């Protein structure tokens, strides 16, 4: 596998980071038919501190274009790009839940978006789930947040078949072309997405796998604290199942390890069967599950894509 840097920072040769175990448990043993990435959801016990830390990391990795605070809630709007960027982060308490929901409806109506609240096992206040049921908010997009020790991940990726991985400091046109063929956030929601990524305050790297001279897969990594966040993983249909995603991930892991990261996290939708098999085999383990509660009455705005 060949790693090429297209900017001043190189993906570099592979280095195994000294893995720090804090916050990352050993992955559960998998068995036939078992989904190794199925995480605890609402009503289940989770690692509260780690779950809150990961939600904070994800917020910085996808900063909204506009936000408004209602008590402990963060109302986010990003021109329809991604559900995370256009939903409420219920991170803290509100003094009056009914009033807060009215604020949510008004905020998103003004933005031309469907009122949406991201729900995790650590969302507050108590009673939010029943209130959303009563207010006509549906439940969609279940997604599992998973973590891995970076040193272990690097070792598992050492078996990647030879491939050329190009690393970019910013979004190159070729990277964007591949992402746009697979991910709606880089296709019909491209304008908002590029504005979001221009607002990043954490270090980022863009990886692209090239097979036989043709770009076939991409991914985005963010480095925050001692964490590598893995985002925007996409492989064109004709190249799937050939190790392209593993090559992209290996490039991001090498970069993050060189930068001092010791842990990795990612989000994988419940319906992404192939991705779940890959990440489970690489040693990721689930921490918690989130979903989006959307008001069932649309306001004429665009539907937004996952995450």
């Amino acid at each position: 596998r060949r790693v090429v840097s297209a900017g001043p920072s190189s993906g570099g040769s592979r280095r195994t980071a000294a893995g720090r175990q804090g916050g990352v448990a050993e992955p559960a043993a998998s068995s036939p038919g078992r989904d190794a990435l199925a995480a605890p959801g609402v009503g289940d016990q989770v690692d509260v501190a780690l779950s809150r830390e990961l939600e904070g990391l994800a917020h910085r990795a996808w900063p909204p274009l506009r936000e408004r605070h209602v008590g402990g809630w963060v109302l986010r709007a990003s021109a329809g790009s991604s559900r995370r960027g256009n939903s409420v982060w219920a991170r803290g308490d509100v003094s009056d839940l009914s009033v807060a929901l009215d604020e949510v409806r008004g905020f998103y109506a003004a933005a031309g978006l469907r009122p949406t609240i991201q729900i995790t096992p650590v969302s507050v206040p108590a009673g939010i789930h029943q209130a959303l049921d009563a207010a006509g908010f549906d439940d969609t997009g279940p997604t599992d947040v998973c973590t891995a020790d970076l040193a272990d991940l690097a070792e598992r990726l050492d078996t990647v078949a030879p491939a050329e991985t190009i690393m970019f400091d910013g979004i190159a046109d070729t990277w964007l072309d591949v992402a746009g063929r697979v991910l709606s956030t880089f296709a019909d929601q491209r304008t908002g997405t590029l504005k979001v990524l221009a607002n990043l305050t954490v270090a980022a790297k863009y990886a692209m796998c090239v097979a036989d001279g043709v770009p076939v897969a991409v991914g985005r990594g963010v480095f925050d604290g001692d964490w590598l966040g893995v985002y925007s993983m996409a492989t064109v249909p004709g190249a799937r199942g050939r190790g392209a995603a593993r090559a992209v991930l290996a490039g991001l892991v090498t970069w993050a390890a060189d930068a001092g990261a010791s842990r990795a996290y990612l989000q994988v939708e419940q319906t992404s069967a192939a991705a779940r098999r890959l990440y489970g085999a690489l040693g990721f383990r689930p921490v918690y599950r989130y979903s989006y509660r959307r008001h069932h009455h649309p306001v004429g705005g665009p539907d937004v894509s996952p995450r």
Side-chain angles (χ1 to χ4, degrees):
R1 182 170 51 81
R2 188 161 70 94
V3 178
V4 179
S5 175
S9 299
S10 173
S13 58
R14 179 169 306 286
R15 179 174 69 84
T16 300
R20 196 184 81 175
Q21 294 299 322
V24 178
E26 289 296 319
S30 61
S31 59
R34 179 182 180 276
D35 184 353
L37 299 188
V42 172
D44 297 325
Q45 286 191 333
V46 298
D47 184 327
V48 172
L50 180 58
S51 298
R52 288 178 174 163
E53 179 181 8
L54 289 166
E55 276 300 297
L57 290 166
H59 183 74
R60 292 190 293 275
W62 196 266
L65 298 180
R66 185 165 65 93
E67 64 179 53
R68 176 181 171 188
H69 291 253
V70 175
W73 287 6
V74 182
L75 282 56
R76 305 173 289 196
S78 300
S81 179
S82 84
R83 283 181 287 197
R84 178 178 295 274
N86 298 276
S87 63
V88 176
W89 180 17
R91 60 172 298 187
D93 209 350
V94 292
S95 58
D96 188 309
L97 183 54
S98 177
V99 171
L101 289 176
D102 285 341
E103 294 275 1
V104 168
R105 294 187 188 95
F107 177 84
Y108 288 106
L113 297 166
R114 185 183 303 217
T116 302
I117 299 179
Q118 183 195 2
I119 289 295
T120 76
V122 294
S123 294
V124 288
I128 185 174
H129 317 294
Q130 295 86 345
L132 293 177
D133 288 341
F137 282 73
D138 63 17
D139 196 351
T140 185
T143 300
D144 295 303
V145 181
C146 307
T147 63
D149 175 75
L150 207 65
D152 179 61
L153 187 55
E155 290 178 3
R156 292 170 186 254
L157 287 168
D158 270 337
T159 60
V160 172
E164 181 181 29
T165 304
I166 302 175
M167 308 295 291
F168 301 97
D169 291 323
I171 301 180
D173 288 341
T174 50
W175 189 101
L176 190 57
D177 288 342
V178 175
R181 293 174 59 185
V182 182
L183 303 173
S184 59
T185 44
F186 292 94
D188 51 314
Q189 297 156 17
R190 178 176 296 193
T191 299
T193 294
L194 294 181
K195 288 180 179 179
V196 167
L197 295 180
N199 286 339
L200 283 177
T201 58
V202 294
K205 203 77 168 181
Y206 299 81
M208 182 174 71
C209 176
V210 178
D212 298 323
V214 178
V216 295
V218 296
R220 176 174 69 96
V222 295
F223 173 56
D224 190 351
D226 66 342
W227 288 96
L228 163 66
V230 179
Y231 288 91
S232 307
M233 294 288 289
T235 303
V236 299
R240 291 172 184 168
R242 302 178 185 177
R246 291 172 62 96
V248 167
L249 187 56
L252 295 175
V253 166
T254 297
W255 164 70
D258 287 341
S262 62
R263 298 181 285 177
Y265 74 92
L266 52 75
Q267 303 149 358
V268 58
E269 289 186 88
Q270 187 181 34
T271 56
S272 300
R276 296 176 77 86
R277 287 193 298 270
L278 171 63
Y279 299 139
L282 290 174
F284 280 92
R285 63 92 173 167
V287 180
Y288 66 97
R289 172 171 291 181
Y290 68 84
S291 63
Y292 293 95
R293 303 294 302 270
R294 303 179 308 170
H295 199 263
H296 66 295
H297 288 306
V299 293
D303 285 333
V304 296
S305 68
R307 297 192 178 91

